[in-house]
Structures are given as structure tokens and as C-alpha cells.
Amino acid sequence: MSTAIVVGAGIGGVIAAVALQRRGWQVTVLERAPELGEVGAGISVWPSAVAVLEELGVKGVEKASVQAKPAGMRKPDGRWVVGAADLGMELPVMIHRAQLHDLITAEFGPAVTVRTGYDVRTVTQDVDGVTVNGELRAELLVAADGIRSVVRGALYPQYAGPRYSGFTAYRGIADVDLDDGGGETWGRGQLFGFARLIDGRFYWYGTANRPAGTKSEPTVFESWHDPLPRLIAGSEKILQNDIYDLTLPLVPFVQGRVVLLGDAAHAMTPNLGRGACSAIEDAGALARHLGRTSDLSAALTAYDAERRPATTKLVKRSRSVGRLGQTENPVLCTIRDALFAVGGKLVALRARR
Ligand SMILES: Cc1cc2nc3c(=O)[nH]c(=O)nc-3n(C[C@H](O)[C@H](O)[C@H](O)COP(=O)(O)OP(=O)(O)OC[C@H]3O[C@@H](n4cnc5c(N)ncnc54)[C@H](O)[C@@H]3O)c2cc1C
């Protein structure tokens, strides 16, 4: 049986392990954290990623999630920019991260071994295989060790890596009683979004321009329209993450027998809600290419040729949407909101024809 090591057990690492297992590989997952899990926040999963999860045999995603509603976009005072009419747009499902992680790891069979509390410090390779920390060996290594990937750093020491976006993100899960479809509210230099989860609670996120490394509270939203202040007040815990993406051009996702996957390869700002979805699609592509040929090098080359251009586009688009959402220029904000309003009407008109 072919052997693989997966570094990192975030969403990218665990779905990569399932994908390799489905192709008949013996997989060892190495995770630095003392136990498996995900943070307390929601996540949007787009139809293309749901399709890959199904293809890889991950069951129950639809049941554990709520179809996002075409809820539109508001101004901080609550006025609609684009209404809640059905715009005929493709929409994601919303799920709790821990639930998605659990659904994926539930598919681990005897071919997958997980070692938690294991810190990968060195990776070396020769023609026959890859060695981790001078002690573990496999034919293939999938680096799913996140935006600050140690493995990527070893492969490409000159690469600039993470780039600060200029904004921080707050996230929470609120236990409040609401009759609101959710959606996003865009202000000047800040935006806020929320959506219902399957258990009736609400996942929310907000962003604000801040210098990197500044601990802050989402107080800027206290004066925004109902129910935003209630969502924040109704959350037991608020997460704060400064938002980074990876410097463009991205490095090649494959070097010899080492493959980069997920944020290690293409971390993007969360403005399109596509980072984890892309990790899932990476895993689907890896499984597909490994299934097409027994030539490992050819399969990995095909993986890089498919995934690097696709995710480069998403990194660029996420960055652009992030800039638009975080602009503090009042003229640009007015033009932006007007364009969204007109765009929304055109889409609605076309959908009615
Ligand atoms: C505010 C916010 C909102 C987001 N919303 C969405 C969304 O709605 N939809 C979406 O698709 N994406 C979203 N994303 C992006 C998504 O969270 C990431 O793209 C995704 O979680 C990346 O998964 P990953 O497994 O590649 O990396 P990570 O989740 O970073 O996992 C890496 C794992 O590797 C482990 N590790 C690191 N180094 C080592 C080492 N040396 N040895 C062993 N283990 C190691 C870490 O402990 C970690 O468990 C959002 C991101 C943010 C910040």
C-alpha cells in the first residue's frame, strides 16, 4: 500500500486524508495541537465544495447545514442597498466549523492514523520518499499546515509568505431569538455579516481596519442597525483574527514528493468565503489526479496545473472585494453602494425573464 503523511489536521488536512484513503493510501496525519478540532465559528460551504465532499463520501453536510438566504446588503443605519429579493445567485450552505470537521473525520477508516501533539519541524526528501523530523517516512507528503506553513518555508525559503490585509476580523456564535434572514452590512472601513446555523443560533462576523497585532473589541458595530449589537451581546465568546493572505505569485504547489494544500498553498482573505472550500477542492483534485495515473510525478504536476491558477484567481478576487469592503473613502463608498444597488436590480430583472 502507498504511504502518505499529511501535516496539519485543519479542514484541509482531514479532507486530504479522506481523499488519499479513498484512493487506497495508508495515511498518517500529524497535528501540532493536543487534540483534533476547529474553532467556534460558522463557515460557508459553496456548492462546488459540497459536491467534492459528497464525491469523497463525506455524508450529512446538507443535513447539518442551512441553505444561506439571498438576504441582501444593508447600510449601517439598516437601509437596504440590495434587497432580499431572490437574485437567482448561487448560494452556500452555512455550517458550524466543528460540525464540518467532525463529519469529515467520521470517515477516517483503519488506513488513517492520527498523531496529535506532533510538531513537524523538518522535512527532507530523496528519490524514494519524504522524511519528517528525521524519523517518519512516506512516499508522499501533503502539507496542510496553514498560512504559516513550516513545510512551505522549508521548500521556498525566499518566498515572502503572509501579507497583512490591513483589517482584523471578529467572529462569534450568538444565541438570540431573531426573525431575520441575515446578510451583510457595509459601512466605511467596516463590514458585518450574519447567518443562521442549523441549531437556530447565528454565526456572525465583522471586520475593521486596524494595525496588525492590535487586540480590540467589535465596539464599532454597537451603533449599527438591529440586530447587530444584539448578536455581539448574545455571544459567549468572540474570536479575533488579523487577516492575512499569501503574497502573489503563489509558489508552485508541488516540489518532488511534497504537495501544498489549503491555506499552506493559497491562503486568501475571507471576503468570498472560499478558503476552506478551496482546500476541499484541492483534496478532490488530488484524489482525482492520483486515480488517473500510477505515475506520482505526473499526477502531482496535473494537480498543480489545475489548482494553482484557480486559487490564484480567488486570492486576487478576495483581496479586491476586501479592499472594496474596507475602503474608508466616502466617495468610493457612495459609488460602491450605488453600483451594488443597480447591479442587484439588473440581476433581479434578468432572473424574472
Ligand atoms: C474570519 C475568517 C472567516 C472565514 N470564513 C470562511 C468561510 O466562510 N468559508 C470558507 O471556505 N473559508 C473561510 N475562511 C478560510 C478558512 O478558515 C481557511 O481557508 C481554512 O480553515 C484553512 O484550512 P487549512 O486546513 O488549510 O489550514 P488551518 O485551518 O490553518 O490548519 C492548519 C493545521 O496545521 C496545524 N499545524 C501547523 N503547523 C504545524 C506543524 N509544524 N506540525 C503539525 N501541525 C501543524 C495547525 O495546528 C492546524 O491545525 C475564513 C477565514 C477567516 C480567518
Side-chain angles (χ1 to χ4, degrees):
M1 201 183 244
S2 303
T3 55
I5 288 173
V6 174
V7 184
I11 289 169
V14 295
I15 192 63
V18 169
L20 289 165
Q21 169 190 254
R22 297 280 184 240
R23 286 279 161 235
W25 290 64
Q26 183 84 40
V27 188
T28 304
V29 180
L30 305 174
E31 168 56 50
R32 172 193 277 162
E35 51 193 52
L36 291 190
E38 257 290 340
V39 296
I43 192 165
S44 58
V45 187
W46 292 83
S48 51
V50 174
V52 173
L53 289 167
E54 278 168 7
E55 232 170 75
L56 294 176
V58 175
K59 294 178 276 293
V61 176
E62 300 278 13
K63 266 195 195 149
S65 52
V66 175
Q67 178 72 52
K69 289 184 182 169
M73 180 177 149
R74 283 175 259 198
K75 289 178 188 274
D77 62 9
R79 277 177 298 153
W80 287 97
V81 176
V82 183
D86 186 352
L87 300 177
M89 285 157 55
E90 179 191 64
L91 291 166
V93 294
M94 298 303 305
I95 186 168
H96 195 290
R97 279 175 181 263
Q99 222 167 348
L100 176 60
H101 198 270
D102 286 351
L103 288 172
I104 298 172
T105 53
E107 295 305 320
F108 284 0
V112 178
T113 306
V114 179
R115 287 180 69 172
T116 50
Y118 191 98
D119 193 17
V120 172
R121 291 180 308 277
T122 62
V123 171
T124 52
Q125 56 177 321
D126 52 49
V127 283
D128 299 321
V130 187
T131 307
V132 169
N133 291 354
E135 60 179 14
L136 300 177
R137 213 160 146 79
E139 289 153 68
L140 171 71
L141 183 138
V142 177
D145 50 345
I147 186 168
R148 292 177 202 286
S149 169
V150 167
V151 180
R152 189 191 62 234
L155 297 184
Y156 304 104
Q158 307 300 329
Y159 178 52
R163 185 204 67 110
Y164 186 50
S165 67
F167 61 94
T168 198
Y170 312 97
R171 285 177 288 175
I173 303 240
D175 205 352
V176 288
D177 192 15
L178 284 188
D179 182 22
D180 193 312
E184 287 201 342
T185 302
W186 287 31
R188 274 171 55 186
Q190 296 114 17
L191 68 82
F192 192 100
F194 68 101
R196 189 187 288 274
L197 296 174
I198 192 89
D199 61 7
R201 292 184 299 167
F202 285 83
Y203 162 56
W204 63 265
Y205 52 89
T207 59
N209 297 334
R210 294 277 179 277
T214 322
K215 177 87 191 102
S216 56
E217 300 291 330
T219 45
V220 286
F221 305 107
E222 275 169 7
S223 59
W224 285 27
H225 67 83
D226 185 67
L228 312 195
R230 278 200 284 150
L231 288 165
I232 296 170
S235 306
E236 222 169 80
K237 192 172 172 201
I238 295 175
L239 303 171
Q240 186 195 349
N241 296 91
D242 286 346
I243 299 300
Y244 288 80
D245 64 5
L246 281 179
T247 303
L248 292 168
L250 300 173
V251 293
F253 291 0
V254 174
Q255 197 184 96
R257 292 172 173 272
V258 179
V259 176
L260 302 179
L261 181 146
D263 276 11
H266 49 63
M268 55 192 79
T269 64
N271 302 85
L272 296 174
R274 297 268 183 179
C277 293
S278 297
I280 292 166
E281 290 178 42
D282 291 347
L286 187 60
R288 190 165 12 88
H289 292 300
L290 287 172
R292 278 187 189 153
T293 170
S294 55
D295 179 343
L296 182 64
S297 167
L300 300 187
T301 303
Y303 164 80
D304 179 51
E306 175 182 335
R307 296 305 297 155
R308 189 151 44 110
T311 51
T312 295
K313 273 190 205 145
L314 288 175
V315 174
K316 283 186 188 159
R317 274 177 49 205
S318 298
R319 198 177 276 185
S320 305
V321 175
R323 283 206 192 105
L324 199 62
Q326 297 304 134
T327 182
E328 295 184 12
N329 181 316
V331 179
L332 274 184
C333 287
T334 307
I335 296 171
R336 174 194 74 191
D337 294 354
L339 286 176
F340 271 120
V342 172
K345 281 189 186 121
L346 287 177
V347 176
L349 269 177
R350 204 178 307 149
R352 267 184 229 128
R353 271 188 208 147

